[in-house]
Amino acid sequence: MTRRQTVDEADLTRRLDAMSLKEKVTLLTGGDAWTLTPVVAAGLASLALSDGPAGPRGTAFGDAVTPSLLFPSPTSLSAAWDEETAYEAGRLMGLKARQMGIHVLLTPTVNLHRSPLGGRHFESYSEDPLLTARTAVGFVKGVQSTGVAATVKHFVGNDSETERTTYDARIDEKTLRETYLPPFEAAVKEAGAWMVMAAYNAVNGTTMTENEKLLNGLLKEEWGFDGVVVSDWQATGSTEASALAGLDLVMPGPDGPWGTALLAAVEDGRVTEAVIDDKVRRVLRLAARVGALDGVDAPEAAPVPGDVRSRIRELAVRGSVLLRNDGLLPLRPDALRKVALIGPNAVRFAAQGGGSAHVIPERVVTPLEGLRRALGDGVEITVHQGAFPHARLLPLEGGTATDPVTGEPGVRLEYRSADGTVLSEEHKAPAANWFPLLLADEVAELFVRTRLMLRESGVHRLSVVGPGHITLHVPGHAPQTLEQLQEDDDIVSLALRPPAHTFTFPAGRGETEILVRFRPQRHLPYPITLLGLGYDTPRGTDEEELDAAVAAAAAADTVILMVGSDADTETESVDRATLALRGRQNELVERVCAANPRTAVVVNAGAPFLLPWADRPAALLWSWFPGQEGGDAIADVLTGAEPGGRLPTTFPAAEADVPVLSTRPVDGTLEYSEADLIGYRAYAARDTTPLFPFGHGLSYTTWDYQDFVVTGDMERGLSIRVTLRNTGTRAGREVVQAYLDPAGDEPHRLIGFAAVEAAASEAVIATITVPARALTVWSAAGPVPRSGPHRLRVGRSAADLRLAAAVPRAS
Ligand code: BGC
C-alpha cells in the first residue's frame, strides 16, 4: 500500500536548469515560518509544512486558526502494537492535511523513551526500537498514501528536552545502530519517508544540522534517502558547515544563516553549485510527490471520511490500556443508578499534551458527555473535582468574557503610546491560550478591557499570561500590580512556557468590567510578544473540595475517578522534574477508594506517573491523552469495548528503580553510558520489578497460550506461529509478543509481535515474522547474526512469557 510514486528525474533537471542561483538559494530557507517560496520559473508552488504528531496543526496562529482534527497521543497509537492501526491514523491525518492545503506533516517523532521524565515522551512512541519502528512504518505509509509527506524526527538523540538546543548526546556506534537509529532506518528504507528533520542537539561532538557523518554519510549514502533533510526550527547555526553536511532546508525563514551568506559561499567557491543543486532537486522531488509541481499530476486524494470522528474514537479505544481489573469493569449501565465522576481530569479533561504538537480541534468530547451517552438517562452522574493540580488557569471563555464595546465574546485591546494616546484598538476573540502580538515600536502599553460574567459569588481567580508589568483594576478594589519577565532568549520557551500570575478578587454574582494594563517587556531578541487571560470560578478550600468529593464517592454506587496530567505538565522544551502526580491527587485516590470500593481509576496522561495506590481501586485504566473523541472512547471502554492497548513503555514502581532517570546534561554532555539498557531490558538486567511491565495490558477476556512452532533460523529470519485460545465468554483482542533470549547474560529483547482477535472459546494462530536483520548484532563490519544458542519466549508482556523454545540452528 506504500505510495511508490515514480518521479521523472529528467523533468526535475529541466526545472532546476530554469532556476537562477538566487532562486535556488532562496528556496532553501523558508519563505516564512511554515511555507517555502514558490518558484514560477520551475512551476513550483509554495510548499506548506505543518506540525502533526497529534493531528495537522495548520500554518496559522491566533485568530486565524482553523480547527483541525485532534488524534490520540502517539503513546496511545503505539499502545495498539499494530502497524495497521498506525497506518489508519497516518492515513486519516494525511487526508485532513490534504484538505487543509498542507504538503508536509512534521511527524512522526521516533525518538525513544529513554527517561520517563522526557518532556516529549507523550509525543514519541516507545522505549523499544522495534515497536517504535513498526509503528512509524505503518504511520509514515499511511500519511504518504494520501500524497502528503511525513517527516521523521528528530534525527537523532533528541530523547529529552533539557538544554535540547545545545547538549551533546554521547552515544557509541553500537548503541546508535541497534537502539536509536532503527526507527529512523525503517521509516526511511521501508516506509520511504520523504522528509527527515535534523535535531537541535549534537551527537558525539557535532550538532545534528552539521553532522556530515550522520546526514550525508549514513542517511543519504548508506540508507539511500532521496528526500529532504529539514532543520528543526531555528536549529541551524552555520552556513557552510550545515550546507556541506547534508542539510537541505533551513526552517523557519525568511531570515537565517543561509540566504545571502550561502549565496556568497557559492560565489566564492566555498560551497559548489552542485551541492545547492542536489538540495533543490530534493525539494523539487518532494514537490512532485506531494502535487506541488505544475504539470505533474497531484496524487489522488480521497476526502476526509464522513465518519472520521468515530474512527478517531476507535483509535483511542485501541490504545487504552486496562492495567488492573478486579471484575468491576466492564460496567453494566442497567445495574447502575448513581455514578460519581470525580477528579481534576474529569473536569479539566486533557485530550492532548503541549508544545508544537498542540492542535486546536473543533470540539473535544468530555468524559462527562461520553459517560452520559454511554450510561443513559436512567443513571444520575455527580461531578466533583476534588483536587486542583493545575499550574495554569483555563483561558477566558466566550460565555464569561465580552468585549465592552462590541458585545462580542472576548476582549477589547487598546494599543497606547508612552503619553497615553490610544494608537489603535481592536476586538480579540477568546484565544486558546494567548494572543501572539507583533507590536509597533511606539506601543508602550496595552489596555485590555473585558466584561466578566461572574456566575457565583466568592473569590474569583484571574490570571495574566505574558512578560511585562501588569496592573489589574477591578471595580471596588484597589489595583493590584506585578512585574513578570521572560528570563531567557528562546522564543520557543516564550511560546511554550510564558510567565503567568494569578490574581484573586472577592466578588458577588453579576457582571463586572475589569481592566488589565499591560506594559510589555521590550528588547526581547524577537519582535513578538504574547498576552493571555485565564479565569477560574470560586471554590472551597482544598480540604472542603476533597471532603465533598469523598462524600460524593460514598453516596454513589460506582465511582469513576480521573486523575493525571495536562498540557502544561507534559510538553515540549521542558522535561518533568518528577514522576509524581501533581498536587493532592494521590491523597484524593486513597480517600475515594477507601470511601467506595467500587472505584475505577482512569489515568489521563501521556507518559508514566508513579501510582503508589495502584492496588487500591477495583480497576485501573490508562487512557493516555486520547484526543478529541476521548470522552466517548473512555466511556466505551468502561462499558465494555475491548481495551486494545498494551504498554509501550515500562511503568516504574519508584523513581529510584528507573534505569535512566536524569535528563540533565553534565557540562553540556548527555552520556548514554547505559548503552542499550533502557526500559524493560534494564529492569531485567537489574532484576527490578516495575509496577507494570512493558507490553502489559488486560483484555476483557482471558487467553490460553497453547503452543508455538518456530521455523527458519538466525541467518534467514524466523516465522513464529503461536496457537492461543480465547478462554473467556466474550470476543477479544490479544497482542502476542515474542522475545529473544540471546546467549550469555544479555537480557531478552522484543523481536516481533502480532495482534489477533478471537470470539469466545475460539482458538486462533498468531503469526510473527522476524526478518534476519532483527536478529543481528552490530559489529565493526556491520550487522552480523548473533552467535547462539538462543531461546525464544512468547507471551503477554516482557514479564509474562508463557511459552519457550530453542531457536533452530542454521542448517
Ligand atoms: C520542534 C519540532 C517542530 C518545530 C516546528 C520545534 O520546536 O522541536 O518538533 O516540528 O518546532 O513547530
Side-chain angles (χ1 to χ4, degrees):
M1 294 212 269
T2 323
R3 176 169 206 97
R4 292 269 176 223
Q5 197 185 324
T6 335
V7 173
D8 178 351
E9 293 291 331
D11 176 53
L12 300 188
T13 308
R14 281 190 292 277
R15 292 175 194 263
L16 193 56
D17 290 345
M19 291 170 71
S20 67
L21 177 61
K22 182 149 189 289
E23 280 172 327
K24 292 176 187 171
V25 169
T26 306
L27 177 65
L28 299 178
T29 294
D32 59 26
W34 304 107
T35 62
L36 305 196
T37 309
V39 186
V40 178
L44 171 66
S46 172
L47 284 163
L49 287 60
S50 156
D51 276 306
R57 190 153 61 97
T59 55
F61 275 112
D63 300 351
V65 168
T66 21
S68 180
L69 291 172
L70 172 62
F71 288 71
S73 59
T75 33
S76 167
L77 188 61
S78 59
W81 287 61
D82 186 26
E83 219 169 299
E84 275 175 34
T85 303
Y87 181 92
E88 164 80 351
R91 197 180 69 86
L92 293 173
M93 242 184 248
L95 293 176
K96 182 65 186 175
R98 200 64 202 269
Q99 186 201 59
M100 293 167 76
I102 292 161
H103 301 101
V104 178
L105 274 175
L106 303 171
T107 177
T109 304
V110 302
N111 301 110
L112 296 188
H113 295 168
R114 177 171 177 262
S115 161
L117 293 177
R120 298 182 89 167
H121 203 286
F122 74 94
E123 195 191 312
S124 35
Y125 293 135
S126 168
E127 68 188 19
D128 183 78
L130 178 72
L131 179 56
T132 301
R134 297 329 307 162
T135 310
V137 165
F139 183 84
V140 168
K141 285 183 179 172
V143 171
Q144 296 192 166
S145 73
T146 68
V148 168
T151 307
V152 194
K153 69 187 189 182
H154 310 83
F155 188 63
V156 58
N158 185 184
D159 309 290
S160 51
E161 296 295 281
T162 310
E163 299 176 23
R164 68 170 175 167
T165 56
T166 52
Y167 75 67
D168 181 21
R170 300 270 173 174
I171 317 175
D172 65 73
E173 181 76 10
K174 184 169 186 295
T175 304
L176 260 178
R177 294 283 190 164
E178 289 181 356
T179 305
Y180 292 95
L181 289 171
F184 290 96
E185 184 174 2
V188 166
K189 292 198 337 201
E190 245 187 274
W194 295 334
M195 194 178 261
V196 168
M197 185 186 287
Y200 286 120
N201 54 281
V203 171
N204 297 330
T206 311
T207 195
M208 278 310 302
T209 49
E210 297 172 12
N211 205 311
E212 152 91 32
K213 184 172 168 225
L214 291 172
L215 297 182
N216 273 339
L218 181 79
L219 179 62
K220 291 186 174 173
E221 279 157 36
E222 195 181 316
W223 293 351
F225 176 64
D226 68 358
V228 173
V229 179
V230 63
S231 69
D232 200 341
W233 266 230
Q234 275 165 331
T236 322
S238 65
T239 306
E240 270 163 76
S242 50
L244 293 174
L247 184 73
D248 300 313
L249 177 62
V250 166
M251 287 302 284
D255 302 321
W258 283 12
T260 47
L262 184 56
L263 201 56
V266 178
E267 276 158 1
D268 45 82
R270 282 171 286 133
V271 173
T272 63
E273 190 157 351
V275 166
I276 302 297
D277 283 353
D278 175 62
K279 301 180 195 307
V280 174
R281 176 182 289 279
R282 286 167 182 271
V283 176
L284 292 173
R285 191 180 290 131
L286 170 72
R289 287 169 163 159
V290 299
L293 276 189
D294 154 28
V296 176
D297 281 346
E300 281 165 40
V304 176
D307 62 350
V308 67
R309 290 188 42 201
S310 56
R311 293 178 189 225
I312 293 177
R313 173 173 172 174
E314 275 164 32
L315 289 171
V317 169
R318 188 44 64 89
S320 303
V321 186
L322 183 60
L323 294 171
R324 278 200 46 237
N325 187 14
D326 288 353
L328 174 64
L329 299 183
L331 299 174
R332 286 189 28 224
D334 55 351
L336 298 173
R337 275 181 312 104
K338 194 168 183 183
V339 168
L341 176 62
I342 294 176
N345 291 61
V347 175
R348 270 175 69 169
F349 172 53
Q352 60 180 324
S356 60
H358 202 270
V359 168
I360 301 198
E362 217 155 74
R363 59 189 303 275
V364 167
V365 178
T366 65
L368 180 60
E369 288 171 293
L371 276 177
R372 282 226 165 97
R373 254 194 292 275
L375 299 183
D377 293 340
V379 182
E380 185 196 341
I381 306 178
T382 60
V383 182
H384 288 83
Q385 194 159 341
F388 300 84
H390 308 289
R392 208 181 288 284
L393 302 186
L394 285 178
L396 273 186
E397 283 181 350
T400 307
T402 345
D403 179 333
V405 175
T406 66
E408 295 167 274
V411 302
R412 189 92 205 143
L413 268 192
E414 282 174 17
Y415 299 86
R416 294 179 168 235
S417 64
D419 65 8
T421 311
V422 179
L423 300 166
S424 63
E425 60 176 284
E426 63 174 330
H427 166 76
K428 284 274 186 195
N433 278 314
W434 44 74
F435 320 109
L437 301 170
L438 201 53
L439 298 179
D441 285 347
E442 60 273 27
V443 175
E445 192 169 25
L446 286 104
F447 276 32
V448 192
R449 297 179 199 280
T450 190
R451 204 176 295 141
L452 280 184
M453 170 54 77
L454 308 176
R455 295 198 172 75
E456 289 166 47
S457 67
V459 177
H460 300 261
R461 266 166 279 261
L462 187 104
S463 65
V464 182
V465 180
H469 184 279
I470 299 151
T471 309
L472 170 67
H473 296 265
V474 178
H477 295 282
Q480 302 185 54
T481 54
L482 176 93
E483 182 160 73
Q484 58 186 13
L485 299 178
Q486 183 66 19
E487 304 290 350
D488 60 28
D489 283 358
D490 183 355
I491 188 167
V492 178
S493 138
L494 172 72
L496 298 181
R497 282 175 296 130
H501 178 76
T502 299
F503 297 95
T504 57
F505 61 91
R509 287 159 59 124
E511 270 193 353
T512 188
E513 190 176 316
I514 61 153
L515 164 67
V516 174
R517 293 179 60 167
F518 178 67
R519 283 211 309 273
Q521 176 183 1
R522 301 310 291 256
H523 313 298
L524 288 166
Y526 33 81
I528 243 164
T529 190
L530 51 83
L531 174 63
L533 296 184
Y535 173 75
D536 205 356
T537 46
R539 59 168 187 249
T541 63
D542 286 359
E543 282 315 321
E544 286 165 352
E545 296 288 340
L546 258 166
D547 289 348
V550 171
D557 39 49
T558 299
V559 180
I560 312 295
L561 172 53
M562 292 193 61
V563 294
S565 72
D566 57 20
D568 284 327
T569 311
E570 294 183 55
T571 185
E572 178 182 331
S573 96
V574 58
D575 294 318
R576 282 190 284 156
T578 163
L579 293 177
L581 287 170
R582 265 195 185 167
R584 297 174 73 174
Q585 298 189 74
N586 288 340
E587 187 183 344
L588 176 69
V589 178
E590 296 276 3
R591 288 188 54 192
V592 166
C593 290
N596 192 330
R598 286 179 53 85
T599 295
V601 172
V602 180
V603 187
N604 172 205
F609 279 80
L610 297 178
L611 313 175
W613 39 258
D615 58 350
R616 304 294 310 283
L620 179 53
L621 175 69
W622 198 273
S623 77
W624 308 106
F625 292 138
Q628 65 175 63
E629 309 299 324
D632 274 331
I634 290 169
D636 287 344
V637 176
L638 291 174
T639 54
E642 173 77 345
R646 303 292 183 266
L647 291 182
T649 209
T650 308
F651 276 30
E655 278 187 4
D657 295 346
V658 175
V660 181
L661 186 66
S662 171
T663 57
R664 185 156 295 287
V666 177
D667 295 334
T669 298
L670 210 48
E671 291 287 350
Y672 282 44
S673 51
E674 72 285 352
D676 67 343
L677 289 184
I678 57 170
Y680 65 94
R681 294 170 41 70
Y683 281 84
R686 295 160 163 210
D687 210 11
T688 308
T689 307
L691 178 65
F692 294 110
F694 175 76
H696 172 71
L698 302 174
S699 162
Y700 276 144
T701 184
T702 47
W703 299 90
D704 181 26
Y705 280 67
Q706 300 187 315
D707 179 19
F708 84 117
V709 180
V710 192
T711 52
D713 58 47
M714 296 294 284
E715 279 167 35
R716 289 177 299 154
L718 302 170
S719 172
I720 307 166
R721 284 163 58 84
V722 186
T723 308
L724 64 164
R725 182 178 292 281
N726 176 347
T727 49
T729 54
R730 48 162 67 221
R733 174 181 192 267
E734 177 70 336
V735 176
V736 181
Q737 306 164 32
Y739 295 80
L740 182 77
D741 278 334
D745 54 9
E746 221 194 292
H748 60 331
R749 69 173 60 232
L750 182 73
I751 54 166
F753 55 89
V756 287
E757 290 180 9
S761 308
E762 194 190 349
V764 63
I765 294 179
T767 305
I768 301 172
T769 308
V770 186
R773 176 69 197 277
L775 299 166
T776 58
V777 275
W778 186 260
S779 74
V784 292
R786 290 166 183 274
S787 50
H790 305 278
R791 217 161 59 108
L792 201 70
R793 288 188 288 161
V794 299
R796 323 198 60 247
S797 81
D800 183 2
L801 296 169
R802 306 223 169 149
L803 302 170
V807 178
R809 289 178 182 279
S811 44

